[in-house]
Amino acid sequence: MSEPPPDPRPDPQPDARAADGDREPTAERPPPYQGTYGAQPGQAPPPPAPGHGAPPAPGYGPPAAAQHPGYGPPLQPHPGVTGPQDMLAGRWARLGAAILDSLILAVVSVPAILFSVRWDKMQESIESGEPIADPLDLYNVPRLMVGYAIAFAVGFAYFTVLHARSGQTIGKKALGIRVVSAADHSAVSWGQAIGRQAFVYAITIVTTALNFFVAAGALLGLLGLLDTAWILWDERRQALHDKVAGTLVVKTAPWMPNPYDKS
């Protein structure tokens, strides 16, 4: 047999082969991976990520304001708010606020009125056992008028100033309600605050005068309750003084804007 002819190609690494001796040559390195990581054999690769040659998936992409220049995203109602009626102050909340404010004003008004009582006449009536024919005899009328004037002045200032500055008296703040303009829910003006309270006190003065000077004054004085009772059947839960002044009583919450915030 004849020997095969020698390989004419030059040895690429003569020194390495001389150093390694008779060691077996290493296997060739496999080519780079060409598939998709995470895919099992025989499984279709997942679609490309948004922004890499494929249309964006639902929920991705620029916001609505960027897609439609000049239009921002629509305002979403707060959870639990289903309509305009849910923004109106509740009737029980308004009653609770009125009671709390009355107790606060009583601290000033009651002592001023008690100062006008003629305790000597009351003591004589108790000792004699005879009732006083005229209830006005129990009072020093000039002092009584001064006491009422002080009570009205303090109450008028209390409601007017607090409504004009923040829309909330102490009672309204405790019950989470506020007085705003009925037109656009903005802060009420000083004129609205003054007119609102002037109407309330005009009714109070008339009913008080009827109680003192008219025989059926107590019954006629009940007509004054119509002002407050109007919220029971009014669609916007406005009392008569709200309609006269153009005001509305609404709920307050941390997520609601404060129209009185000047900042």
Side-chain angles (χ1 to χ4, degrees):
M1 288 180 63
S2 60
E3 297 181 359
D7 189 356
R9 293 177 297 179
D11 192 350
Q13 297 179 349
D15 298 337
R17 292 191 64 179
D20 293 341
D22 297 332
R23 189 177 63 183
E24 294 292 334
T26 58
E28 295 182 2
R29 179 178 297 175
Y33 182 62
Q34 301 296 328
T36 302
Y37 291 98
Q40 301 298 327
Q43 181 182 1
H52 293 78
Y60 292 88
Q67 296 176 0
H68 303 282
Y71 295 90
L75 297 177
Q76 299 296 331
H78 190 271
V81 177
T82 59
Q85 291 297 109
D86 290 330
M87 305 296 293
L88 300 176
R91 297 178 178 90
W92 287 108
R94 295 190 64 172
L95 177 61
I99 293 175
L100 183 56
D101 288 331
S102 298
L103 293 176
I104 293 172
L105 291 175
V107 175
V108 177
S109 60
V110 170
I113 295 175
L114 290 179
F115 180 68
S116 65
V117 176
R118 297 184 61 179
W119 300 104
D120 56 338
K121 287 286 185 177
M122 185 176 294
Q123 184 67 23
E124 292 178 3
S125 176
I126 294 174
E127 292 177 354
S128 64
E130 297 180 359
I132 298 177
D134 188 357
L136 285 178
D137 290 341
L138 282 175
Y139 296 94
N140 184 320
V141 176
R143 288 185 179 182
L144 181 63
M145 294 298 102
V146 172
Y148 272 120
I150 293 174
F152 284 150
V154 172
F156 192 90
Y158 173 81
F159 286 104
T160 301
V161 173
L162 292 182
H163 284 161
R165 293 180 63 87
S166 65
Q168 292 180 300
T169 59
I170 297 176
K172 287 183 174 66
K173 190 171 184 179
L175 273 295
I177 58 178
R178 172 179 282 125
V179 177
V180 297
S181 174
D184 55 2
H185 289 202
S186 61
V188 301
S189 64
W190 279 94
Q192 286 177 300
I194 293 173
R196 189 178 192 270
Q197 201 58 35
F199 185 85
V200 173
Y201 272 28
I203 294 177
T204 303
I205 292 173
V206 170
T207 55
T208 301
L210 290 174
N211 289 333
F212 275 103
F213 303 110
V214 180
L219 295 177
L220 295 175
L222 294 177
L223 295 177
L225 296 177
L226 185 63
D227 172 36
T228 304
W230 203 268
I231 67 174
L232 297 177
W233 54 78
D234 187 77
E235 182 180 2
R236 303 182 74 185
R237 299 177 191 171
Q238 289 178 296
L240 290 180
H241 57 262
D242 287 315
K243 292 187 176 296
V244 169
T247 59
L248 195 67
V249 183
V250 298
K251 297 177 183 177
T252 60
W255 52 267
M256 296 176 61
N258 183 1
Y260 294 84
D261 188 3
K262 306 303 181 184
S263 62

